[in-house]
Amino acid sequence: MAAAAFLFAGAVLLAGCSGGNGKDRIEIIDLSGYENGGMLTDRMLDSMAQEIRVIELTAGEDLTVPVYPERIKFTADRIYVLDNQGPRKWQMLAFDRNGKLVQKIGRQGRGPGEYFVISDFAVAPDGSLWINDAGMGNMLHYSSNLEYVDTYPAPYDLENMEFLDNGEVLAQISHWDSSLVDIALTDTLFRIEGRRELLRYSHGPHPVYSFGDGSLCPTPDGYLHNHPIDPDVYLIDAGSGNITRHYRIDLGHDALTYDDIAGLGDDDMRYIEILKEHVYLSRILLLTDSIVIGQLAEYGEDVYFLADRNSRTVYKGSSGSMGLLSDCRDGWLISKVIPENTDNHYKLVLRKIQ
């Protein structure tokens, strides 16, 4: 890709959200002024890592489990995987920390302990597992021993969910919900009247298109949150639920704004044309005083980026040049390695990056 594709000029500051303790102290990270450092590769990530772990996800001799790990979350003794088996076919899997399958959790269906379409899941401080069945509007509760406890009605859909240290749920409301996209704190009953709004975005969801779920990534300093297409990134304290840092990723004059898509309707071709002309922040995975790692939708392509804040240099790569960056959990950057043939298992590559 030519150097011009990496550099942006100008600045676009979008009206982001309301609410939160640290929202008014905005730190601008001006990627439009960063130098092009070349290709981002797995080898470069390896060179930055303090520690690297490679974990095979295995279910004995069964090479069909998992089919495609959609979401991956860790506890002290388990790896939980939301497995995407195909259109509207999901299963929840629990592996030990060595990658050996421990249990298939529940099954697809409409009965007790069963689910239809899973959007996300989270593990509570007591080790219990909570699964959001967006298809049926339910929240499923399993004990720390992975035994089914109960199913509760969920009055709103979630895109992402995580538990705070005090047992409250940090909930990112679905883009397709009738309310505006926001972040809220709630108890495990998930009642609308019982939730406390933390962030409310100043725009409504697009009636036809989704630009991605964004992120809610645990870091040693708290939870990192963004929601596309906004350039804003928030750090939320895992203890109090308060916003402690507010960043804005400046992508220059080609940054997509809601004005660009406000009158789009269901014009598929114009939608594609607009995306090929613009760039926006899809997901933020890691943000420290030294580096930023995330994913961009850049001129119609998905691009991973690593920005060195000290040297003001940005490196970019795609799934063709590196593994699939899936998530970041407490400083561990997680990549998925797709099996090259049917005799291999899925692998997770964990890199400890400070």
Side-chain angles (χ1 to χ4, degrees), residues 9-67:
V12 175
L13 301 182
L14 300 183
C17 312
S18 62
N21 294 348
K23 76 173 187 69
D24 295 325
R25 299 183 295 274
I26 302 176
E27 182 177 345
I28 305 296
I29 301 176
D30 182 13
L31 292 190
S32 66
Y34 276 35
E35 179 183 353
N36 169 22
M39 186 69 71
L40 176 62
T41 63
D42 287 328
R43 181 174 295 183
M44 182 179 177
L45 293 175
D46 289 345
S47 69
M48 297 179 59
Q50 286 74 45
E51 185 179 349
I52 300 175
R53 298 178 186 174
V54 179
I55 301 173
E56 278 192 337
L57 298 178
T58 63
E61 299 300 319
D62 187 353
L63 294 170
T64 66
V65 178
V67 178

Side-chain angles (χ1 to χ4, degrees), residues 36-347:
N36 169 22
M39 186 69 71
L40 176 62
T41 63
D42 287 328
R43 181 174 295 183
M44 182 179 177
L45 293 175
D46 289 345
S47 69
M48 297 179 59
Q50 286 74 45
E51 185 179 349
I52 300 175
R53 298 178 186 174
V54 179
I55 301 173
E56 278 192 337
L57 298 178
T58 63
E61 299 300 319
D62 187 353
L63 294 170
T64 66
V65 178
V67 178
Y68 184 80
E70 190 74 28
R71 298 204 177 190
I72 302 160
K73 298 185 180 182
F74 292 83
T75 64
D77 57 352
R78 291 198 185 115
I79 302 171
Y80 289 96
V81 173
L82 174 55
D83 191 27
N84 185 351
Q85 303 176 83
R88 295 184 176 272
K89 278 191 75 175
W90 304 92
Q91 63 179 350
M92 277 298 310
L93 306 173
F95 298 83
D96 65 22
R97 286 302 294 257
N98 294 317
K100 182 179 179 181
L101 182 67
V102 174
Q103 184 174 322
K104 293 183 180 181
I105 303 166
R107 63 181 180 179
Q108 195 136 30
R110 300 174 185 267
E114 297 175 346
Y115 39 75
F116 184 44
V117 177
I118 300 174
S119 64
D120 199 11
F121 65 94
V123 181
D126 64 2
S128 62
L129 176 68
W130 297 77
I131 301 172
N132 183 42
D133 180 2
M136 296 298 294
N138 289 328
M139 189 68 62
L140 280 68
H141 182 201
Y142 286 81
S143 71
S144 59
N145 296 324
L146 304 182
E147 297 173 347
Y148 172 66
V149 177
D150 207 347
T151 297
Y152 307 88
Y156 48 90
D157 291 339
L158 304 177
E159 285 180 341
N160 294 294
M161 57 184 290
E162 296 285 353
F163 277 87
L164 298 182
D165 297 339
N166 62 8
E168 284 188 294
V169 181
L170 187 61
Q172 180 181 340
I173 312 304
S174 171
H175 178 85
W176 303 111
D177 198 275
S178 58
S179 62
L180 296 182
V181 178
D182 60 8
I183 287 279
L185 295 175
T186 179
D187 58 22
T188 50
L189 294 179
F190 296 92
R191 297 166 298 185
I192 292 178
E193 62 273 16
R195 77 187 193 195
R196 175 165 64 91
E197 186 175 283
L198 188 62
L199 286 171
R200 176 172 287 269
Y201 286 81
S202 58
H203 53 76
H206 194 278
V208 179
Y209 300 110
S210 172
F211 294 89
D213 293 344
S215 64
L216 197 56
C217 294
T219 76
D221 299 320
Y223 290 101
L224 275 177
H225 165 67
N226 81 290
H227 195 284
I229 59 174
D230 290 79
D232 297 283
V233 177
Y234 300 89
L235 181 64
I236 302 169
D237 184 78
S240 66
N242 294 326
I243 297 172
T244 58
R245 302 287 292 271
H246 180 183
Y247 305 89
R248 183 163 289 156
I249 309 297
D250 184 359
L251 298 173
H253 72 277
D254 285 340
L256 185 68
T257 73
Y258 277 91
D259 289 340
D260 297 317
I261 60 173
L264 193 58
D266 57 358
D267 186 346
D268 288 338
M269 293 308 298
R270 183 57 187 145
Y271 166 76
I272 294 171
E273 291 172 359
I274 287 176
L275 291 188
K276 288 183 177 180
E277 296 167 356
H278 293 86
V279 58
Y280 64 87
L281 179 65
S282 297
R283 290 189 302 157
I284 199 75
L285 297 174
L286 187 63
L287 199 162
T288 71
D289 292 337
S290 301
I291 60 172
V292 186
I293 298 177
Q295 187 174 12
L296 301 173
E298 184 178 69
Y299 309 120
E301 303 291 337
D302 290 327
V303 176
Y304 301 121
F305 74 94
L306 185 152
D308 186 324
R309 300 182 66 186
N310 295 321
S311 65
R312 293 180 58 80
T313 305
V314 63
Y315 307 85
K316 297 184 181 178
S318 67
S319 57
S321 63
M322 55 191 298
L324 297 170
L325 291 183
S326 170
D327 204 343
C328 193
R329 313 293 295 182
D330 299 322
W332 288 97
L333 191 65
I334 304 172
S335 293
K336 295 182 292 192
V337 180
I338 299 175
E340 295 182 357
N341 59 63
T342 56
D343 294 329
N344 293 333
H345 297 280
Y346 265 96
K347 291 182 181 179

